Amino acid sequence: MAFNFGAPSGTSGTAAATAAPAGGFGGFGTTSTTAGSAFSFSAPTNTGTTGLFGGTQNKGFGFGTGFGTTTGTSTGLGTGLGTGLGFGGFNTQQQQQQTTLGGLFSQPAQAPTQSNQLINTASALSAPTLLGDERDAILAKWNQLQAFWGTGKGYFNNNIPPVEFTQENPFCRFKAVGYSCMPSNKDEDGLVVLVFNKKETEIRSQQQQLVESLHKVLGGNQTLTVNVEGTKTLPDDQTEVVIYVVERSPNGTSRRVPATTLYAHFEQANIKTQLQQLGVTLSMTRTELSPAQIKQLLQNPPAGVDPIIWEQAKVDNPDSEKLIPVPMVGFKELLRRLKVQDQMTKQHQTRLDIISEDISELQKNQTTSVAKIAQYKRKLMDLSHRTLQVLIKQEIQRKSGYAIQADEEQLRVQLDTIQGELNAPTQFKGRLNELMSQIRMQNHFGAVRSEERYYIDADLLREIKQHLKQQQEGLSHLISIIKDDLEDIKLVEHGLNETIHIRGGVFS
């Protein structure tokens, strides 16, 4: 249904309908209908995705979908696959990486087209000339609303196609800037991320079959070995699998295939089809960015992001060494990051639960170890006493029949002297008795103090007192009622007795 603003004065409805383009604003002031609506809040028909940092997209970095996904294969990478050791052209790694990164940092060289698009957008938002009357102001506000929302088409001239409003346009209000962790792996580590549209349990149960399938995708070369670095659960029942490929040379040495080379091989059309049959929805390398690349990313604001907001995001970066600002355009991206955050929170909670269980197990082991140590100490003391007794008996048997020697006599005299000093009531024996008494008293008071005591909170004690007071008042009121009832019963009984006496006197 077209929008009917009414025909202007002096112009017939038929003439207005004739001047309007087909499928556009025909039928102003008439009741005619068109096949398609001129204004719509639906998503624009252009479903092609554009990278957040330029016209072309690249997924050569492990920032998730924040950097977009590439739609074409890199050229000049891994062209020697299938020959020799399986990955030809290892000496061109630097050129390969530059070729892969080119799509991320290069801007489309279409200055005239972009200039015309900006002029058309400005005309649609500020000064449309479609109707030539006051309705153009209403149309301008409608185009502004669509631009703010980030969807729809902006009509502004009968001879120029309408402007497509997407969420990447600078006037879209549903934008924010978040932060993503930069990968720290090098290209030589060979880590490539494959996102499968399967659950983690299914991936883990079929990990061996998955490795064999990926080996077949690589051509089944016996010099190549596929290894799984790790798996991680993603939202929407997806799983992230990090792999690397080890290549063995005929002389017995081995090394990892560079990540850019492996990624370029996976991006070939026939290989990509085979990966999709395995359930792979996304593949990307996990390599670190060079300082020059980071500087270029930070200096150039993404498409549709206000430079002031981008500068503020760089200032507010909590850790510029590990995090990089990433634009969030639209509610879908915000929902995606929310799901990822929720999933990561669950993983952290699971890890904390495992750590808590480990700590509990260690505490039990510690308690058991302490008890065993105390038991072994008692056993050691017992064995020491028994050993001493055995030595004493052995020494007695060895010295039997011999006269007491001079050093033994001297030792006996010293022991008798010590024994006498200990038995003296005014010296060591008295002090020992006093110390023993103090120890017994401390043990007694310590046992009394170690008894459990319960303390009641002041507010709780106040509530208990209030409750008991109400109970006491209720009991007092009940007692008074019972007393009143007893008095009434006595009065009734007294009246009955008097009535019986009076009747007895009458009958007598």
Side-chain angles (χ1 to χ4, degrees):
M1 177 70 70
F3 285 84
N4 298 324
F5 294 101
S9 59
T11 305
S12 63
T14 305
T18 305
F25 297 91
F28 290 102
T30 66
T31 59
S32 61
T33 59
T34 59
S37 176
F39 298 99
S40 172
F41 280 100
S42 61
T45 57
N46 182 14
T47 58
T49 58
T50 59
L52 298 179
F53 290 90
T56 57
Q57 297 185 5
N58 183 283
K59 53 188 177 182
F61 299 95
F63 291 100
T65 57
F67 286 95
T69 57
T70 183
T71 58
T73 58
S74 301
T75 60
L77 294 179
T79 56
L81 291 173
T83 63
L85 300 178
F87 287 86
F90 289 130
N91 296 327
T92 60
Q93 294 178 7
Q94 184 175 1
Q95 297 177 0
Q96 293 170 0
Q97 187 173 4
Q98 291 176 359
T99 306
T100 305
L101 297 176
L104 179 64
F105 301 106
S106 61
Q107 298 293 334
Q110 298 179 357
T113 305
Q114 291 184 355
S115 177
N116 292 335
Q117 186 177 4
L118 290 176
I119 294 174
N120 295 339
T121 303
S123 300
L125 297 179
S126 60
T129 59
L130 186 67
L131 304 174
D133 54 21
E134 66 276 2
R135 290 174 294 179
D136 286 337
I138 301 175
L139 181 60
K141 293 181 179 180
W142 171 250
N143 291 338
Q144 293 173 10
L145 179 61
Q146 292 185 105
F148 293 159
W149 187 263
T151 184
K153 297 181 179 181
Y155 291 87
F156 63 96
N157 195 301
N158 291 325
N159 301 323
I160 302 176
V163 178
E164 289 281 353
F165 292 119
T166 62
Q167 292 181 342
E168 283 75 18
N169 77 83
F171 302 98
C172 181
R173 296 299 181 90
F174 303 112
K175 294 179 182 178
V177 178
Y179 300 92
S180 293
C181 183
M182 292 186 292
S184 58
N185 306 101
K186 299 183 180 297
D187 186 40
E188 293 77 12
D189 296 334
L191 298 182
V192 175
V193 178
L194 299 178
V195 178
F196 288 83
N197 196 18
K198 298 179 181 179
K199 295 183 179 179
E200 184 181 5
T201 55
E202 185 178 355
I203 294 293
R204 289 186 178 276
S205 62
Q206 301 177 357
Q207 182 170 333
Q208 186 61 34
Q209 294 86 339
L210 175 63
V211 171
E212 294 176 357
S213 300
L214 292 175
H215 188 263
K216 292 180 181 179
V217 170
L218 295 175
N221 197 329
Q222 297 301 324
T223 61
L224 301 178
T225 305
V226 179
N227 299 275
V228 177
E229 178 75 12
T231 58
K232 184 175 69 174
T233 302
L234 297 179
D236 301 329
D237 293 334
Q238 292 184 338
T239 304
E240 177 186 284
V241 180
V242 182
I243 66 170
Y244 63 91
V245 177
V246 177
E247 180 188 16
R248 297 189 305 274
S249 59
N251 58 6
T253 61
S254 61
R255 64 171 179 177
R256 293 189 181 187
V257 176
T260 52
T261 306
L262 183 60
Y263 168 74
H265 178 66
F266 284 157
E267 284 300 302
Q268 294 181 8
N270 57 340
I271 302 300
K272 198 169 187 179
T273 303
Q274 298 179 24
L275 292 177
Q276 290 176 355
Q277 293 176 356
L278 295 177
V280 177
T281 59
L282 178 66
S283 61
M284 55 188 169
T285 60
R286 180 162 290 178
T287 55
E288 64 180 355
L289 298 174
S290 65
Q293 294 166 353
I294 297 175
K295 183 178 180 181
Q296 186 174 359
L297 283 173
L298 296 177
Q299 286 180 350
N300 301 322
V305 177
D306 191 350
I308 298 177
I309 298 177
W310 186 250
E311 291 296 329
Q312 186 63 35
K314 292 191 293 184
V315 174
D316 296 338
N317 192 343
D319 190 351
S320 58
E321 298 295 330
K322 298 181 180 180
L323 302 178
I324 188 170
V326 175
M328 295 183 294
V329 181
F331 293 102
K332 290 185 179 180
E333 178 65 17
L334 183 61
L335 178 62
R336 186 193 68 82
R337 292 182 70 94
L338 181 62
K339 289 182 178 179
V340 172
Q341 182 71 23
D342 184 60
Q343 188 69 33
M344 189 60 64
T345 302
K346 290 180 180 179
Q347 292 180 2
H348 289 170
Q349 185 62 44
T350 303
R351 178 57 59 184
L352 289 176
D353 294 339
I354 294 174
I355 293 174
S356 178
E357 293 176 0
D358 293 342
I359 291 175
S360 301
E361 188 67 24
L362 290 175
Q363 289 177 348
K364 292 180 182 178
N365 294 338
Q366 182 189 12
T367 304
T368 305
S369 301
V370 170
K372 288 184 178 180
I373 290 172
Q375 180 182 357
Y376 292 150
K377 284 183 177 180
R378 291 192 298 268
K379 190 174 181 179
L380 177 62
M381 184 67 66
D382 187 23
L383 292 175
S384 300
H385 291 168
R386 292 174 62 183
T387 304
L388 183 60
Q389 291 176 1
V390 171
L391 290 175
I392 291 172
K393 291 181 180 180
Q394 183 180 4
E395 187 69 17
I396 290 173
Q397 291 180 359
R398 191 176 67 86
K399 294 290 186 179
S400 62
Y402 291 92
I404 298 177
Q405 298 179 0
D407 53 349
E408 294 177 348
E409 181 66 23
Q410 185 179 1
L411 182 61
R412 186 180 64 82
V413 172
Q414 292 178 358
L415 290 175
D416 290 339
T417 304
I418 293 173
Q419 184 67 27
E421 292 178 355
L422 290 175
N423 292 330
T426 58
Q427 294 187 6
F428 297 105
K429 190 172 184 179
R431 294 180 182 178
L432 288 174
N433 292 333
E434 184 179 356
L435 290 174
M436 290 296 296
S437 301
Q438 292 180 359
I439 290 172
R440 291 192 186 97
M441 292 178 63
Q442 289 180 357
N443 292 335
H444 175 70
F445 288 125
V448 173
R449 292 175 182 175
S450 63
E451 294 179 357
E452 295 184 356
R453 296 185 180 181
Y454 299 93
Y455 298 93
I456 301 177
D457 186 66
D459 297 335
L460 181 60
L461 183 62
R462 192 180 305 107
E463 292 180 1
I464 294 174
K465 289 182 179 179
Q466 184 68 20
H467 179 71
L468 293 176
K469 182 179 180 181
Q470 293 177 358
Q471 293 288 336
Q472 184 67 28
E473 292 176 355
L475 290 174
S476 301
H477 184 64
L478 183 60
I479 292 172
S480 62
I481 292 175
I482 293 173
K483 288 182 179 180
D484 294 339
D485 292 342
L486 288 175
E487 292 179 359
D488 294 339
I489 291 172
K490 289 180 181 179
L491 183 60
V492 171
E493 184 180 2
H494 181 70
L496 290 174
N497 292 332
E498 289 182 354
T499 304
I500 292 172
H501 289 306
I502 293 173
R503 290 182 179 178
V506 172
F507 290 121
S508 60

